[in-house]
Amino acid sequence: MVEIDFNGLKLKNPVLAASGTFGYGIEYSDFVNLNDLGGFIVKGTTIDNREGNDYPRMTETASGMLNAVGLQNKGIDYFIENIYPKIKDYKTNILVNVSGSQIEDYVKVAEKVNELKAIPGIELNISCPNVKEGGMAFGTNCESAANVVKAVRKVYKKHLMVKLSPNVTDITTIAKVVEYEGANSVSLVNTFMGMAIDVKTRKPKLSTITGGLSGPAIKPIAVCLVWKVSNAVKIPVCGLGGIMSANDAIEFLLAGASAIQVGTANFINPKITTEIIEGIDNYCKINSIQKINEFRML
Amino acid sequence: MRQNIHFVTKYINNFKIAQNIKLNSEYFILELLCPEKLSEILPGQFVEVLVENSSNTFLRRPISIFDVNYENNSLKLLIKIIGDGTKKLSELSINSKLNLIYPLGNSYSLPNCKDVLLIGGGCGIAPLFYTAKFFKNYNVNFTLLLGFREKSQVILQKEFSELGKIFYTTDDGGFGERGNVLQHSILKNNNFEKIYSCGPEIMMKNIAIWAKNKNIDCEVSLENLMACGLGACLCCVQKTKSGNKCVCTEGPVFNVNDLLW
Ligand SMILES: Cc1cc2nc3c(=O)[nH]c(=O)nc-3n(C[C@H](O)[C@H](O)[C@H](O)COP(=O)(O)OP(=O)(O)OC[C@H]3O[C@@H](n4cnc5c(N)ncnc54)[C@H](O)[C@@H]3O)c2cc1C
Ligand SMILES: Cc1cc2nc3c(=O)[nH]c(=O)nc-3n(C[C@H](O)[C@H](O)[C@H](O)COP(=O)(O)O)c2cc1C
Ligand code: FES
């Protein structure tokens, strides 16, 4: 299998599980040997406990789903005391998805995660479309994206991956800003803002009216954005958005990503991450690929 | 019964359709053979079904376990056709495969009292069948009360009557007593110590209020929309007195005292 030096992060394969779709890994441990993964990214974690948005928070759409979970989590201290001890011994890269409403919150969470030995990196979530304050607001404006990355970079010493929002006019300018401020890599995409209305009741299907679209419906747009960003920055790109199979994952690698994440697909097939790893492995054998940068679009 | 769901192993398997029985225009039963030894299943637990070849069905569908047979490692599901996903399931042919994740969720608790009542409405009768069977094994003295809209909707009368004492209501009185389940005379003439319920939310809410007023312990099974069924996505949450809880792992069964109803 192709091992990857993802700007300092050693990945045994390019497959990670995406934040918010894989719980804390443990939820999938009956289906996947977590040690087989390139890594997994735990749920969006904030400084304080958050209850998230009201139900209904999810609706199915054509080849995808809209969610408006709104970063429900028990806060970083709870994570450190109760979850971290249960997952720290897995032999894979566990990243914490750091989320917040203000720069100070991101910084505080990043400082605390910096102390956790078994966490080699964070994924800075400046792209959540489902919170009223902060979240995506940071990732849709160059200045605020720069400010939050700069502030976190000061306190966070390990791998800093920044998760970009696709809900912008030009994602490459944000990617460049984030690179300039010291990010070690970028991941894209987070969900696309979307909405759905029940025509019988004439009410929105989500309590928050709008939500984030994920799943195969977004894949061609995500591939395109990954291609654009990987041509615009030098730091490695972790690609995601609608990956349902090994071929989908390979498409992202060919578009320029050095690693990929699997999100919504975990809900349909809880073993999908392992199956994608096997599929990529086969593809590499058939095509005599030994290094990740040998994945090239012709 | 069980406290922490994460200690119970979940499985994913291709089951084989042994039977697909049409009960009426809306309801059908799938009998599914597990290729391996079936793991222990508790009353009130459910499965997540993968619906294939239905372009409008992207996510799995949660369905309660209606019956269990450990001898031939089979499960039965009682399903009501609601939309495209359940319609596709109703069309499955014998010997075809159905991919399930199971067993999911907590369970109805075993009562530590004498007289218990199981109230089901519409497709909410599904988990109560196995629950009644399970209780019977533990010598629990239970009564069943099932509500339907009208006589033509009444299903599985023979199967339920073999389990024990059973009463019915229909809206027009065409079968059993007239009215909704809470209007049935057995509620006036008996002192039930515990109620277990599954059915439309409005029915369960009314039962919960009634039970609280009478100081009767009551458990209900919720049917929130789900994506993962594994406690990972947090899409299925229900507000409770101790914050948001996942219906798929901390439910589907809740004691009404924990809910904000
Ligand atoms: C824990 C649990 C156990 C269940 N057990 C059973 C069972 O034993 N038998 C059975 O027939 N059904 C059961 N259900 C409900 C079943 O999952 C839905 O009816 C099914 O998902 C509908 O799928 P569909 O594709 O046919 O309809 P869709 O096209 O998905 O839906 C049609 C309409 O019904 C609504 N709807 C869909 N699912 C639900 C739901 N869960 N609650 C309220 N409204 C909904 C949708 O919003 C939509 O408007 C259970 C649900 C849960 C959560
Ligand atoms: C239910 C749900 C919850 C999510 N929660 C988070 C989160 O907490 N933090 C985050 O950065 N992304 C979150 N995401 C976005 C995913 O990580 C991913 O970027 C997106 O779903 C696109 O990939 P996919 O199509 O493979 O799912 C969530 C997505 C879903 C569906
Ligand atoms: S359905 Fe995903 S947490 Fe319950």
Side-chain angles (χ1 to χ4, degrees):
Chain A
M1 172 50 80
V2 278
E3 284 173 27
I4 300 134
D5 182 345
F6 193 78
N7 206 356
L9 264 191
K10 298 277 181 291
L11 307 177
K12 58 186 105 169
N13 60 62
V15 180
L16 292 87
S19 177
T21 66
F22 207 66
Y24 293 105
I26 313 163
E27 290 84 346
Y28 282 85
S29 57
D30 286 337
F31 309 106
V32 173
N33 180 349
L34 298 175
N35 296 330
D36 290 346
L37 301 178
F40 63 86
I41 303 168
V42 303
K43 267 190 235 296
T45 305
T46 50
I47 187 77
D48 298 314
N49 175 63
R50 286 181 62 110
E51 284 292 308
N53 295 319
D54 283 347
Y55 181 89
R57 301 172 161 190
M58 187 275 292
T59 184
E60 195 177 25
T61 60
S63 297
M65 61 182 275
L66 285 164
N67 91 81
V69 172
L71 298 176
Q72 180 182 331
N73 78 102
K74 293 200 159 82
I76 185 64
D77 291 333
Y78 181 91
F79 171 80
I80 293 171
E81 275 158 46
N82 299 286
I83 315 243
Y84 178 68
K86 287 189 199 144
I87 59 176
K88 69 178 180 30
D89 294 325
Y90 283 114
K91 290 183 178 44
T92 185
N93 291 288
I94 304 173
L95 307 195
V96 174
N97 181 264
V98 174
S99 305
S101 312
Q102 308 176 41
I103 293 192
E104 300 82 75
D105 297 350
Y106 280 102
V107 170
K108 280 186 206 151
V109 178
E111 270 178 325
K112 288 178 187 245
V113 181
N114 197 51
E115 303 305 313
L116 304 176
K117 282 209 178 62
I119 307 286
I122 59 174
E123 181 181 54
L124 198 67
N125 178 7
I126 56 167
S127 44
C128 180
N130 295 323
V131 287
K132 275 204 204 81
E133 292 152 25
M136 193 173 89
F138 285 105
T140 49
N141 172 303
C142 281
E143 201 186 327
S144 54
N147 289 341
V148 64
V149 175
K150 186 187 287 176
V152 170
R153 183 71 288 180
K154 271 196 201 125
V155 301
Y156 192 73
K157 307 299 171 204
K158 296 183 249 178
H159 189 97
L160 172 58
M161 181 187 284
V162 179
K163 187 162 182 181
L164 304 182
S165 171
N167 301 300
V168 292
T169 314
D170 181 6
I171 198 167
T172 61
T173 53
I174 308 270
K176 283 184 201 158
V177 164
V178 161
E179 178 181 41
Y180 178 79
E181 296 299 343
N184 300 106
S185 65
V186 286
S187 56
L188 61 140
V189 295
N190 207 320
T191 53
F192 288 81
M193 183 100 115
M195 68 187 268
I197 307 164
D198 186 325
V199 294
K200 273 196 220 118
T201 62
R202 304 190 194 180
K203 288 184 182 154
K205 289 193 178 177
L206 296 174
S207 69
T208 46
I209 305 179
T210 63
L213 182 64
S214 65
I218 69 171
K219 198 192 74 178
I221 327 179
V223 171
C224 174
L225 295 176
V226 163
W227 175 72
K228 283 187 179 169
V229 169
S230 51
N231 283 315
V233 295
K234 293 194 185 63
I235 51 176
V237 173
C238 191
L240 73 155
I243 295 176
M244 299 293 288
S245 66
N247 277 349
D248 291 344
I250 291 162
E251 221 180 314
F252 278 83
L253 297 175
L254 292 170
S258 308
I260 60 100
Q261 295 178 23
V262 184
T264 304
N266 291 298
F267 304 157
I268 287 106
N269 176 2
K271 295 207 263 193
I272 189 70
T273 42
T274 323
E275 292 176 16
I276 290 176
I277 293 169
E278 283 164 16
I280 296 176
D281 209 16
N282 277 337
Y283 184 89
C284 288
K285 278 184 195 132
I286 294 166
N287 294 283
S288 310
I289 291 178
Q290 266 137 25
K291 292 206 199 85
I292 199 75
N293 59 12
E294 291 168 26
F295 279 94
R296 282 255 168 75
M297 184 167 68
L298 298 178
Chain B
M1 298 179 97
R2 204 173 67 215
Q3 292 302 309
N4 193 333
I5 189 77
H6 294 309
F7 293 113
V8 174
T9 309
K10 300 171 185 121
Y11 300 88
I12 181 166
N13 255 321
N14 282 324
F15 283 63
K16 196 168 88 179
I17 314 265
Q19 289 196 80
N20 182 348
I21 309 160
K22 184 175 169 173
L23 300 176
N24 59 29
S25 62
E26 286 183 323
Y27 287 91
F28 61 100
I29 287 182
L30 292 179
E31 188 187 358
L32 305 163
L33 296 179
C34 183
E36 290 168 12
K37 195 175 166 341
L38 205 61
S39 78
E40 193 201 351
I41 285 158
L42 298 172
Q45 287 190 304
F46 65 98
V47 299
E48 278 275 15
V49 181
L50 183 68
V51 183
E52 284 179 285
N53 307 317
S54 166
S55 57
N56 288 325
T57 313
F58 175 61
L59 298 166
R60 285 177 182 262
R61 295 294 188 260
I63 304 287
S64 303
I65 296 170
F66 170 75
D67 200 6
V68 181
N69 183 341
Y70 292 112
E71 265 151 43
N72 66 354
N73 294 308
S74 74
L75 290 180
K76 280 186 187 155
L77 308 178
L78 168 64
I79 303 175
K80 182 181 181 181
I81 300 175
I82 295 283
D84 285 353
T86 45
K87 178 93 190 11
K88 258 279 162 338
L89 293 174
S90 75
E91 292 160 359
L92 287 173
S93 52
I94 290 174
N95 286 332
S96 58
K97 297 260 183 292
L98 192 62
N99 187 273
L100 302 189
I101 304 176
Y102 84 102
L104 302 174
N106 64 356
S107 68
Y108 288 112
S109 63
L110 260 184
N112 45 13
C113 54
K114 276 217 318 274
D115 285 313
V116 310
L117 178 65
L118 276 55
I119 310 181
C123 100
I125 68 172
L128 297 185
F129 188 79
Y130 181 58
T131 305
K133 265 185 138 177
F134 195 89
F135 283 2
K136 208 173 169 178
N137 269 340
Y138 281 86
N139 296 316
V140 175
N141 181 21
F142 63 85
T143 304
L144 278 153
L145 173 59
L146 307 182
F148 293 94
R149 253 179 293 139
E150 52 181 53
K151 191 177 176 190
S152 67
Q153 301 276 317
V154 179
I155 48 171
L156 301 165
Q157 203 192 326
K158 180 169 163 289
E159 288 79 357
F160 271 102
S161 65
E162 284 165 2
L163 295 174
K165 280 172 285 177
I166 180 155
F167 300 90
Y168 290 92
T169 62
T170 46
D171 292 356
D172 60 358
F175 188 79
E177 287 187 19
R178 177 172 157 168
N180 66 44
V181 284
L182 279 175
Q183 292 166 323
H184 199 281
S185 57
I186 55 158
L187 292 175
K188 296 182 192 85
N189 309 333
N190 287 271
N191 290 317
F192 294 108
E193 292 169 86
K194 178 129 190 179
I195 292 176
Y196 297 89
S197 173
C198 186
E201 187 171 285
I202 180 77
M203 177 195 103
M204 292 193 289
K205 271 190 180 156
N206 287 330
I207 293 171
I209 293 164
W210 183 86
K212 277 192 198 171
N213 275 334
K214 302 241 166 207
N215 244 328
I216 302 173
D217 201 29
C218 178
E219 290 178 17
V220 294
S221 181
L222 303 184
E223 294 200 349
N224 291 11
L225 297 169
M226 294 182 179
C228 71
L230 302 171
C233 72
L234 307 184
C235 288
C236 63
V237 294
Q238 178 74 22
K239 272 198 181 132
T240 70
K241 285 185 182 150
S242 45
N244 278 330
K245 287 201 167 164
C246 278
V247 172
C248 68
T249 50
E250 297 167 283
V253 177
F254 289 88
N255 193 299
V256 295
N257 292 326
D258 296 336
L259 298 174
L260 303 176
W261 287 0

